[in-house]
Structure formats: structure tokens, C-alpha cells
Amino acid sequence: MKKWKNFLIEIDQKTAVVSFNRPEALNALNYDVLTELEQILDELHKDDSVYTLILTGAGDKSFIAGGDIKDMSRMNVEEGKLYAYTGTALLRKIEEFEKPIIAAVNGYALGGGTELAMACDIRIASEKATFGQPETGLGIIPGFAGTQRLPRLVGKGMAKLLIFTAKRIKADEALRIGLCEAVVPPAELLDYCKKLAAAINENGPTSVRLAKAAINHGLDMDLRSGCRFESFVFGHCFATEDHREGTAAFVEKRKANFPGKYKK
Ligand code: COA
């Protein structure tokens, strides 16, 4: 993979670790970062050797310190809207990315940092992580879908509490309210996420991707429609090599060796 200005990428054992690397601004999301991440996602989408992504911040201080406040201080109404559209579209791309994406939240995850983490499938936080939506303290509101994903994740009242007060919370509080799934010591964060990715990678990659789609789309539907959608996706699994290999391995009492391909 080519060299990126704002990212470090390491691919090993079917997992790509994508590290935000803009230390001078604590990994704040300017247009440059958003554009590069979009290109990286396109490349990793096409790379069949990659099953799972981990998004993290380089160093141990910051995951992402939010949208770029210096840039935002100069924006007018139209520019503000465009910036929000751009960031929101990228986060939707993360959410809808076929392969699972784990956020390894290593430090500050403020504003766009919390928003980006929420677009990932699973959030693992370091004990040093800080979450929050500080936008109202800057005279704006969350613009990368924070007002939408936060209440869906932690409930309406807690989302309002966090957004209205602009309060920052520590990892243990984030865990308590369901904003992250686990908290681990800083030195263990990446290893923990790699092991988690490896556990995911052992399963049928096509099944994992279809399960992701079923969960995400189902949550946007009423229960009946979601169940119906799941039945269609379940049926679709029977056209995959993953299904043939996974069920055969059980019957033959051996470990499955998933090819991760649709049956021709
Ligand atoms: N946008 C642009 N630049 C940012 C930034 C952001 N969101 N967050 C940090 N930076 C820059 C700082 O301006 C500073 O640059 P400078 O040295 O050129 O002045 C550099 O990153 C280091 O930040 P600094 O504030 O000195 O570090 P700190 O350790 O004292 O504080 C934070 C860290 C994260 C608490 C603090 O930077 C902060 O509150 N950032 C903004 C968080 C936020 O409100 N995000 C939501 C945006 S919508």
C-alpha cells in the first residue's frame, strides 16, 4: 500500500491496523484526513487478504480530537454544511463497510472522534480514553451524526445529557453507558483488538459481513421487517462457500477452513 500523509497502515494476519497520524492536531479531522481515509477504505475493501480493520490513533494521547476547530472557525453556513455532509458520508461508509471495523480508542475521542468511533462496529477503549461531544461549548452541534448515533447507542436521555453539557467522560463511564464494549490497560489495547479481530477472522468472512449488514439494516426497520430481511440474508448464506465449508467441517469433525467466497 502507498504511503499516506495522515495515516500509518499495517496489515498482518488478515487484519489491517489503520492509525490516524496527524499528531500536530491530535488527529483532528480536516478535509485532508477525511479524503485519505475514504481512499484507504476503498483500497482495503478491494484487498481480499484483509478481513477486519482496526482504527486507532498513533501514539497514546489521542484517538481523534474531533473536527478541525481551526478550519471550522473560518467556515460560513454553506461551508459548514458541506463539511458536515462530507464527514457524515464518510462515517456512513465506515458503518456500511462490508468488513468489520473495530475502534481501538487509545486517548481523546472528542466530537468527531466519538462520532467516528460510534460508526465502527465495536469500540474497545484504553483506560486513558476520553469520550464526549463538546460541540455546544464551541457554539455548534455535533455534525458527523452525533445527534443521531449517540441516542441510538446510549439512549435519548444520556445522549442529551452528554451533548447539552458538552461533558467529557472517562472510559469506565463510557463502558457503563454502552458507548464502548470493553476497557483495557493502554499497553494492552492494540493486542486486545488484534485478538478480537483474529477471533472474528476465524469465522466465515462472508457470514460475518452478511451478519453485519443484517444487524445494521435491521436496526433501521421495524422488528417484523428486520426479521424478514434476516431470513432473506440467511437464505443467501446457502449460496456461499462459507456455508458449504462451515457445515461440512462440523459433520467431518474438523476445523473449518473458510475460503470466504461466493459459490460460482
Ligand atoms: N482541531 C484542531 N486542532 C486541534 C484540535 C481540534 N479539534 N484539538 C487539538 N488541536 C490542536 C491544538 O490546537 C494544538 O495545536 P497548537 O499547538 O498549534 O496550538 C494541538 O492540537 C495540541 O492540543 P492542545 O490543546 O495543546 O493539547 P492538550 O493536551 O492541552 O489538550 C485536548 C488536549 C484534546 C483536551 C484539547 O486539545 C481539546 O479540547 N481539543 C478540542 C476537542 C474538541 O472540542 N473537539 C470537538 C471539535 S467539534
Side-chain angles (χ1 to χ4, degrees), residues 24-26 28 61 65 67-70 72 108 110 134-135 168:
E24 70 280 9
L26 302 182
K61 184 168 177 183
D68 193 303
I69 302 174
K70 288 174 188 162
M72 281 190 281
Y108 291 115
L110 298 171
E135 289 86 351
R168 290 191 217 150

Side-chain angles (χ1 to χ4, degrees), residues 217-229:
H217 291 287
L219 280 173
D220 285 340
M221 299 175 191
D222 62 88
L223 182 61
R224 186 165 178 230
S225 310
C227 291
R228 191 87 178 119
F229 181 61

Side-chain angles (χ1 to χ4, degrees), residues 22-29 61-62 64-72 83 108-113 115 132-135 138 140-143 168:
R22 192 188 169 215
E24 70 280 9
L26 302 182
N27 303 330
L29 301 170
K61 184 168 177 183
S62 185
I64 297 165
D68 193 303
I69 302 174
K70 288 174 188 162
D71 288 355
M72 281 190 281
Y83 183 55
Y108 291 115
L110 298 171
E115 289 170 310
Q133 297 284 171
E135 289 86 351
L138 295 163
I140 54 177
I141 68 167
R168 290 191 217 150

Side-chain angles (χ1 to χ4, degrees), residues 11-260:
I11 298 177
D12 187 32
Q13 315 254 4
K14 300 178 180 167
T15 298
V17 179
V18 178
S19 304
F20 290 80
N21 188 31
R22 192 188 169 215
E24 70 280 9
L26 302 182
N27 303 330
L29 301 170
N30 63 3
Y31 269 111
D32 224 18
V33 174
L34 297 176
T35 306
E36 276 198 348
L37 183 55
E38 169 144 42
Q39 291 165 359
I40 290 167
L41 290 174
D42 286 343
E43 291 209 9
L44 293 176
H45 171 82
K46 286 183 269 177
D47 188 337
D48 287 338
S49 72
V50 172
Y51 285 20
T52 298
L53 275 57
I54 296 172
L55 297 187
T56 193
D60 61 358
K61 184 168 177 183
S62 185
F63 176 65
I64 297 165
D68 193 303
I69 302 174
K70 288 174 188 162
D71 288 355
M72 281 190 281
S73 70
R74 295 184 286 265
M75 286 179 193
N76 63 27
V77 171
E78 285 313 315
E79 288 163 343
K81 258 196 255 176
L82 185 62
Y83 183 55
Y85 289 150
T86 308
T88 301
L90 179 66
L91 266 50
R92 178 159 283 276
K93 187 167 183 147
I94 291 173
E95 190 168 50
E96 294 189 350
F97 198 72
E98 282 187 10
K99 305 172 187 185
I101 304 187
I102 299 166
V105 183
N106 55 305
Y108 291 115
L110 298 171
T114 285
E115 289 170 310
L116 189 137
M118 289 192 292
C120 296
D121 298 301
I122 298 167
R123 286 148 292 283
I124 308 298
S126 137
E127 285 164 352
K128 282 179 61 182
T130 308
F131 294 81
Q133 297 284 171
E135 289 86 351
T136 56
L138 295 163
I140 54 177
I141 68 167
F144 292 178
T147 62
Q148 304 307 303
R149 289 201 179 91
L150 191 59
R152 283 167 170 80
L153 210 51
V154 304
K156 194 157 83 168
M158 186 56 78
K160 286 178 177 171
L161 187 154
L162 290 174
I163 291 172
F164 294 176
T165 63
K167 164 177 140 147
R168 290 191 217 150
I169 57 168
K170 292 283 176 204
D172 56 348
E173 174 72 349
L175 180 66
R176 193 186 67 77
I177 65 172
L179 187 49
C180 66
E181 279 64 60
V183 178
V184 299
E188 293 168 26
L189 178 66
L190 211 49
D191 249 19
Y192 184 99
C193 291
K194 284 180 181 174
K195 282 188 187 132
L196 177 58
I200 295 170
N201 296 343
E202 272 188 22
N203 298 317
T206 310
S207 327
V208 169
R209 291 169 208 182
L210 291 174
K212 170 169 173 169
I215 293 168
N216 281 352
H217 291 287
L219 280 173
D220 285 340
M221 299 175 191
D222 62 88
L223 182 61
R224 186 165 178 230
S225 310
C227 291
R228 191 87 178 119
F229 181 61
E230 186 197 72
S231 302
F232 281 116
V233 179
F234 181 78
H236 184 69
C237 293
F238 291 76
T240 65
E241 286 288 342
D242 279 4
H243 154 260
R244 197 198 55 73
E245 170 59 13
T247 51
F250 178 82
V251 174
E252 293 160 19
K253 299 189 187 301
R254 60 175 174 81
K255 196 171 173 336
N257 180 20
F258 289 109

